Amino acid sequence: WDFDTHHDLSVWVEALADQRVGKVDENGRAAWKLLVDNIYTAATPPGQTPFVNKRPSFSRTKSARYDYSNDVLLQAVELLLKADGSNNAYEFDLVNFTRQLLSNYFGDIKVRYEEACEAANLEKAKTISEEMLEVIDDIDRIIGTQSYFLMGKWNADARSWGVTPEEKDYFERNA
């Protein structure tokens, strides 16, 4: 723990950004400043999951939520895209933040879909459902660029923790 770095939040954010981007980069620093100032401001309740990962339901009370502007997350992603990132952490963050951005957008689309269904506007619901599927496809393409998000890696890692075939099966089921 380096007290000189960590006791001053702005210095700490710059150090974090430099570490995550892989070098000093003003766009990376600006992105992380947005994230810390606007998104990483409070703990999230247990059970939060991206909208796109939720089981389909028309119960709005069971929807995931986020207490920040998705426009701010978009700005952070755009700044990270301008950064000259050079390491795995940068690539992971770019994919992860973009995945979250699209998942939040999916939740907004889902609300429009529910409204169309409640109004019995099947044509509009069909059009919106196609948009939802396009967002899912976009997320799949983006997360497919990072091994961390690939199911095969998760399963292989989980199985490696088991000693017996039963333990391997157990860990894979719970991956």
Side-chain angles (χ1 to χ4, degrees):
W1 185 263
D2 178 359
F3 185 76
D4 290 334
T5 299
H6 297 94
H7 84 284
D8 182 335
L9 184 60
S10 62
V11 173
W12 179 82
V13 170
E14 287 182 352
L16 175 65
D18 296 347
Q19 179 185 24
R20 300 302 295 180
V21 173
K23 61 179 83 169
V24 174
D25 184 283
E26 291 309 314
N27 287 309
R29 286 179 169 189
W32 275 96
K33 182 167 180 15
L34 277 174
L35 292 167
V36 169
D37 288 349
N38 298 284
I39 295 174
Y40 295 139
T41 57
T44 57
Q48 287 294 302
T49 186
F51 287 105
V52 75
N53 294 5
K54 301 286 272 182
R55 177 171 286 166
S57 169
F58 282 102
S59 174
R60 289 194 182 132
T61 59
K62 293 183 181 178
S63 291
R65 64 174 180 75
Y66 55 99
D67 295 325
Y68 55 86
S69 168
N70 212 33
D71 291 336
V72 172
L73 185 55
L74 175 60
Q75 291 171 17
V77 168
E78 289 172 339
L79 285 164
L80 282 175
L81 285 168
K82 293 176 185 175
D84 186 22
S86 62
N87 63 16
N88 291 337
Y90 167 76
E91 293 172 1
F92 173 84
D93 290 343
L94 193 53
V95 168
N96 194 38
F97 296 142
T98 303
R99 174 199 57 81
Q100 186 64 53
L101 175 76
L102 290 173
S103 180
N104 294 348
Y105 177 61
F106 180 91
D108 296 340
I109 298 169
K110 181 182 179 286
V111 170
R112 292 191 353 247
Y113 177 77
E114 291 170 344
E115 291 168 354
C117 288
E118 288 169 1
N121 187 338
L122 298 180
E123 189 59 37
K124 185 173 183 179
K126 184 177 186 296
T127 300
I128 295 170
S129 71
E130 290 167 1
E131 185 179 357
M132 292 168 77
L133 291 172
E134 288 174 15
V135 172
I136 292 171
D137 288 343
D138 290 342
I139 292 171
D140 278 345
R141 277 191 295 280
I142 289 165
I143 65 173
T145 67
Q146 287 289 308
S147 63
Y148 179 81
F149 291 105
L150 299 178
M151 189 66 178
K153 180 179 180 348
W154 279 56
N155 286 341
D157 288 349
R159 291 190 69 76
S160 75
W161 298 332
V163 175
T164 67
E166 293 79 16
E167 284 181 344
K168 290 179 182 295
D169 291 346
Y170 170 80
F171 286 119
E172 182 178 10
R173 264 192 318 275
N174 290 287

